[in-house]
Amino acid sequence: MTTSGSPFGRALCAMITPFTEEGALDLDGAQRLAERLVSEGCDGLVLSGTTGESPTTTDAEKSALVAAVREAVGDRASIVAGVGTFDTRHTVELALEAEKAGADGLLVVAPYYSKPPQDAVEAHFRDVADAAGLPVVLYDIPGRTGTRIEPDTVIRLAEHPRVVAVKDCSYDFLGTQKVLSRTDLAYYAGCDEHNLALYAVGATGYISTVANVVPRQLRSVLDAFDAGNTTEAARLQQRATPLIELMMSAGLPGTVTTKALLSELGLPAGPVRAPLRRAGREAVDGLLATYEEFMATG
């Protein structure tokens, strides 16, 4: 699916995976949350990524989640399925299953833990792209994987017809611009504080964790920029900074803070799976106060 002149749209949400209070996959909750996100302006949903707790969901749960969300949103939004693991063979298996379940694209993270050299990283992505029939988003998040997808590696991978995009959590602004200047890859900011900055230098949009909570407000940043009102775009991005900081950089993983806020707002979320733990009451109260202040400032 192609929307908004890009592979998957501009405003994508890295959706949480809702669980029941007993810890089971909550497909009804996932459908309700997906429906809300799309109705509030998300062009696409990224399932089973970092925010979606992919390390603790089974292969069957990942496929069921894609199928359920596809049923809920139909063709109104793209679905990108996270399939990346540290095992190339397993990643290929997940890619094929995601395609069967109805995904439009694949989010493939750099292989983690084993720290492969760049030629092996490149081969991993090529093997996945060769095996599956869906377009691939390279997910560069070295802070979690321990392995960069170096800019020169990305540039070489861009030659593959099914490698179409990057989710950029590299914190390497120069490296990102190098790739943007030498490829036609669609770049998505993967860190919410970079949404506007990367968009301004040619990125396609964002894949946002914070969009689980405030999808319409984050999209308004891109809309203002596209309308030529860069001052307003900057104001809207800056307005979101306290919420972004507390959700993403205050000591708790974004999955934990997002589920805490969604639960307080009466939206589908449920608990996180171990080894993650729920946010404590003090953290929840701080998140809620910051959210309410954000909403009140308009």
Side-chain angles (χ1 to χ4, degrees), residues 1 34-35 38 67-79 102 104:
M1 179 177 183
E35 173 62 39
V38 173
V69 171
R70 172 56 76 207
E71 181 181 33
V73 304
D75 62 359
R76 292 176 294 143
S78 61
I79 294 176
D104 298 301

Side-chain angles (χ1 to χ4, degrees), residues 263-276:
S263 294
E264 288 294 306
L265 299 173
L267 295 167
V272 290
R273 283 183 176 171
L276 295 180

Side-chain angles (χ1 to χ4, degrees), residues 2 11 54 63 106 160 218 226:
T2 302
S54 58
S63 292
L106 306 170
H160 195 290
L218 292 187
D226 284 348

Side-chain angles (χ1 to χ4, degrees), residues 7-295:
F8 309 108
R10 299 178 309 154
L12 277 68
C13 178
M15 198 177 99
I16 59 128
T17 300
F19 299 130
T20 67
E21 285 304 313
E22 294 73 33
L25 183 63
D26 180 6
L27 291 178
D28 177 69
Q31 290 184 317
R32 287 185 286 120
L33 180 61
E35 173 62 39
R36 172 184 179 269
L37 292 170
V38 173
S39 67
E40 288 284 307
C42 290
D43 299 323
L45 303 172
V46 177
L47 307 179
S48 298
T50 304
T51 305
E53 299 180 75
S54 58
T56 58
T57 57
T58 68
D59 293 5
E61 286 174 328
K62 289 178 174 66
S63 292
L65 183 64
V66 171
V69 171
R70 172 56 76 207
E71 181 181 33
V73 304
D75 62 359
R76 292 176 294 143
S78 61
I79 294 176
V80 179
V83 299
T85 75
F86 49 42
D87 175 356
T88 302
R89 181 176 56 182
H90 188 198
T91 303
V92 167
E93 292 171 355
L94 288 173
L96 296 174
E97 289 303 313
E99 186 172 7
K100 291 178 187 175
D104 298 301
L106 306 170
L107 180 73
V108 187
V109 73
Y112 43 92
Y113 187 75
S114 52
K115 290 192 173 183
Q118 288 299 297
D119 61 340
V121 171
E122 182 177 346
H124 172 83
F125 286 114
R126 288 188 181 278
D127 286 348
V128 177
D130 286 343
L134 294 179
V136 170
V137 182
L138 308 176
Y139 185 10
D140 188 17
I141 184 167
R144 287 182 181 268
T145 65
T147 301
R148 272 298 307 270
I149 314 173
E150 295 289 349
D152 287 341
T153 303
V154 176
I155 290 167
R156 289 193 299 273
L157 284 166
E159 299 170 0
H160 195 290
R162 281 196 287 274
V163 174
V164 301
V166 176
K167 180 182 179 183
D168 183 15
C169 294
S170 68
Y171 288 94
D172 178 7
F173 204 63
L174 179 59
T176 294
Q177 291 179 81
K178 177 180 176 180
V179 177
L180 283 169
S181 70
R182 294 178 56 184
T183 76
D184 293 325
L185 291 173
Y187 251 76
Y188 291 95
C191 304
D192 281 278
E193 64 269 33
H194 290 172
N195 288 353
L196 178 58
L198 283 181
Y199 200 59
V201 296
T204 300
Y206 56 70
I207 296 174
S208 165
T209 293
V210 178
N212 280 280
V213 179
V214 287
R216 179 173 52 83
Q217 291 83 354
L218 292 187
R219 184 187 177 106
S220 70
V221 175
L222 305 188
D223 290 343
F225 189 89
D226 284 348
N229 194 342
T230 56
T231 300
E232 177 65 2
R235 184 190 75 82
L236 292 170
Q237 178 71 40
Q238 292 164 13
R239 172 183 163 234
T241 297
L243 183 62
I244 291 169
E245 181 179 17
L246 198 58
M247 287 184 66
M248 304 305 295
S249 301
L252 291 174
T255 303
V256 173
T257 58
T258 300
K259 283 195 163 183
L261 264 177
L262 290 175
S263 294
E264 288 294 306
L265 299 173
L267 295 167
V272 290
R273 283 183 176 171
L276 295 180
R277 301 177 66 184
R278 288 183 191 264
R281 190 65 245 173
E282 183 178 356
V284 173
D285 288 344
L287 286 162
L288 191 58
T290 302
Y291 167 81
E292 289 174 346
E293 182 178 356
F294 171 79
M295 297 301 288

